[in-house]
């Protein structure tokens, strides 16, 4: 209810004090309404997606696709957001292409969430590194940050719904508590896997594996 309460409160402020508010203050309050509405939209979208997943209505078509171009695009997409926090966002690939059997939109959503989280929870002046490699059966991608790390207790509830973890976004970013739950369910639907390796105080690495596309 938090975003909706904020929208209501700011709107009532304008409604009651409009004649006494300078234009700059009105614009500031409107900006807060816009931000809260975006947060509400994100939460509703996540809830709808969770409902679709849990009702078994999500039917993904899997195809042969190159995962490198998705990771490169996301790296470029989050470059400015990382730069604003003085975070060095790096992407390392041992080969120019890695082919997996997956759904492109779903795969993009999975890595969008994980790279976004790495930037969101990393302190200023740190590094986020995305690496990709392959063995006989899986393509493996690692998203490593230099944040506060996760305790054993946090790691146990990491992929649950509405998980409230100890680390908080370092730049005032919004979190629904549903992102990693959705990531896990989406990867399950593509016969993929995700897990976390972390030491408290020494950063966190999320590892994703997807099936190699056979010849």
């Amino acid at each position: 209810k938090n975003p909706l309460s904020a929208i209501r409160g700011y709107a009532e402020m304008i409604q009651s004090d409009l004649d006494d508010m300078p234009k700059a203050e009105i614009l500031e309050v409107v900006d807060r309404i816009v931000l809260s509405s975006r947060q509400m939209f994100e939460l509703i979208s996540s809830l709808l997606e969770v409902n679709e997943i849990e009702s078994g209505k999500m039917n993904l078509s899997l195809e042969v696709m190159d995962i490198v171009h998705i990771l490169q695009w996301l790296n470029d997409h989050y470059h400015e957001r990382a730069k604003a926090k003085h975070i060095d966002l790096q992407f390392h690939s041992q080969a120019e292409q890695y082919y997996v059997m997956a759904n492109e939109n779903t795969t993009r959503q999975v890595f969008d969430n994980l790279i976004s989280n790495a930037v969101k929870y990393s302190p200023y002046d740190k590094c986020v590194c995305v690496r990709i490699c392959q063995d006989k059966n899986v393509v493996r991608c690692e998203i490593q940050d230099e944040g506060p790390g996760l305790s054993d207790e946090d790691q146990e509830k990491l992929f649950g719904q509405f998980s409230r973890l100890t680390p908080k976004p370092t730049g005032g970013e919004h979190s629904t508590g549903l992102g990693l739950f959705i990531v896990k369910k989406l990867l399950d639907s593509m016969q993929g896997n995700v897990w976390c390796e972390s030491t408290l105080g020494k950063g966190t690495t999320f590892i994703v594996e997807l099936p190699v596309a056979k010849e």
Side-chain angles (χ1 to χ4, degrees), residues 113-114 150 154-163 165 177-185 187 193-197 205-208:
N113 185 286
L114 294 176
L150 296 167
D154 279 336
Q155 290 184 53
E156 287 178 3
K157 57 185 180 181
L158 197 56
F159 296 102
Q161 291 190 53
F162 297 108
S163 297
L165 307 179
L178 285 167
L180 290 176
F181 172 80
I182 293 173
V183 162
K184 180 71 168 66
K185 293 293 186 180
L187 282 166
N193 194 18
V194 60
W195 71 95
C196 165
E197 295 177 357
T205 301
F206 280 89
I207 299 102
V208 172

Side-chain angles (χ1 to χ4, degrees), residues 11-51:
E12 288 175 347
M13 183 188 304
I14 294 176
Q15 187 179 49
S16 61
D17 301 332
L18 179 62
D19 293 338
D20 300 322
M21 294 175 71
K23 184 177 180 180
E25 185 177 353
I26 293 172
L27 290 175
E28 182 181 344
V29 174
V30 169
D31 284 343
R32 293 176 182 175
I33 290 174
V34 171
L35 177 61
S36 294
S37 67
R38 286 174 180 164
Q39 293 175 352
M40 192 69 183
F41 182 83
E42 180 185 347
L43 177 58
I44 291 171
S45 297
S46 295
L47 287 169
L48 289 172
E49 189 160 17
V50 168
N51 181 67

